[in-house]
Every structure is written in structure tokens, then in C-alpha cells.
Amino acid sequence: TISEDIKQVQKNDPAAKSLAEVLLCHTPLHAIIFHRFIHPLYKSNLHILPRFLSQINRFITGIEIHPGATIGKGFFIDHGMGIVIGETTIIGKYCQMFHGVTLGGTGHHKGKRHPSIGDNVYIGMGATILGPITIGNNVKIGANTFIIMKNIPDNSTVVGYDPKIV
């Protein structure tokens, strides 16, 4: 899974000139790798240690990934500062996300509170996706799009504050 994450950085980031540069300098990759190690701890009911480690990850990288979030292989974050990924979020395979994205809850749900993101989803910078909703496979979400409590079907492009499928 980590090797797929690395391949996606090499494929999608034109600033990544070499494998060494990716491994040493791509902070979003560091956040993802760190999450991949602390997520199993969280799943084994050692909640305090993974929560503490995720706070260290956030402090170092500027990317907040709750240790309970499930993230598929080949996840790529570009310019990750300010990303928030909530506890019950599920992210599919080969998704791309840019800075300032929030995958959060509304505060009105128990249990599953955060979005489920399908495979091959592109989420533009500043997008906010809230609630226990489903974003389908092969969806493109434009920059600064705001989606609250609205499922998005497969193979769609959605944009805007009052999201419209275009």
C-alpha cells in the first residue's frame, strides 16, 4: 500500500524529481505513511496512543487524519496543509486531494458521521464534504465546492457552494 502511495506521488506531482526527493521532502506522503502505521493500533482498541500519535502527525505535517479513518491504496495529497479527515471517513483507492479539504461531520449524527469516498476521486483544494454521505467512483469535485448531506453518483463532476453536477 505504501509503495502504491509513493508511485502516485511520482505520477501526479511534477515537482517530484526523484524517489529520494519524494521520500525525504513530500510531507503529505509522510502524513499518509504515518497514518498507515497508527490506523491498525486504533483498530485494535488502543485508542489513546494512536490519537496521541495522530496529533504529533498533525503538528509535524499540518494534515489532520483521525487514526480511525480508512484510506485505500494509492492515496495522493498535494500541498496538504489544512486537510482534515474525520474518524469514520472511508477513502477508496487512487484518490487525489488538495490542500484545505475537509471530510467532516455535521455534529448531528452518531456512528458513521463522515463521508465515504469512492475509488479514483479527485477533490479540489478547499472542498468541504460533510456528513455520512457517499461520493461515487470516478467523481471530480471542484475547488471550494461545499457538499453537505448530498450523495454524489459515480462518474460525476460537481462544483459550487450549492453543488451542481455538471
Side-chain angles (χ1 to χ4, degrees):
T1 299
I2 291 172
S3 68
E4 287 297 317
D5 297 332
I6 293 167
K7 287 177 190 174
Q8 290 304 304
V9 173
Q10 293 175 308
K11 175 183 171 188
N12 294 304
D13 189 348
K17 307 289 190 250
S18 68
L19 177 60
E21 184 177 355
V22 167
L23 294 175
L24 294 173
C25 303
H26 199 274
T27 306
L29 178 64
H30 301 158
I32 294 165
I33 290 171
F34 203 64
H35 174 76
R36 296 219 186 273
F37 284 104
I38 63 176
H39 179 71
L41 292 174
Y42 188 82
K43 289 300 202 183
S44 68
N45 290 322
L46 297 172
H47 291 184
I48 294 174
L49 177 61
R51 289 293 306 269
F52 176 71
L53 293 173
S54 74
Q55 292 303 304
I56 292 170
N57 191 14
R58 182 180 104 176
F59 178 77
I60 293 169
T61 66
I63 298 170
E64 182 174 343
I65 306 173
H66 190 286
T70 301
I71 299 174
K73 69 181 179 178
F75 184 45
F76 172 69
I77 298 174
D78 201 2
H79 302 288
M81 187 60 72
I83 284 179
V84 177
I85 300 173
E87 177 183 19
T88 62
T89 300
I90 299 169
I91 299 173
K93 300 177 291 199
Y94 302 106
C95 291
Q96 296 182 45
M97 183 181 297
F98 288 80
H99 61 283
V101 169
T102 299
L103 303 177
T106 64
H108 301 292
H109 299 93
K110 303 269 187 231
K112 176 77 169 121
R113 309 182 301 285
H114 303 95
S116 294
I117 308 297
D119 296 337
N120 304 305
V121 173
Y122 174 99
I123 305 174
M125 73 92 192
T128 301
I129 305 169
L130 301 178
I133 62 174
T134 299
I135 305 298
N137 296 320
N138 308 306
V139 169
K140 292 182 177 78
I141 298 172
N144 295 312
T145 296
F146 186 81
I147 303 169
I148 181 168
M149 298 305 301
K150 181 177 181 179
N151 293 326
I152 306 298
D154 291 349
N155 306 307
S156 300
T157 299
V158 62
V159 296
Y161 187 77
D162 181 17
K164 305 266 187 284
I165 295 174
V166 296

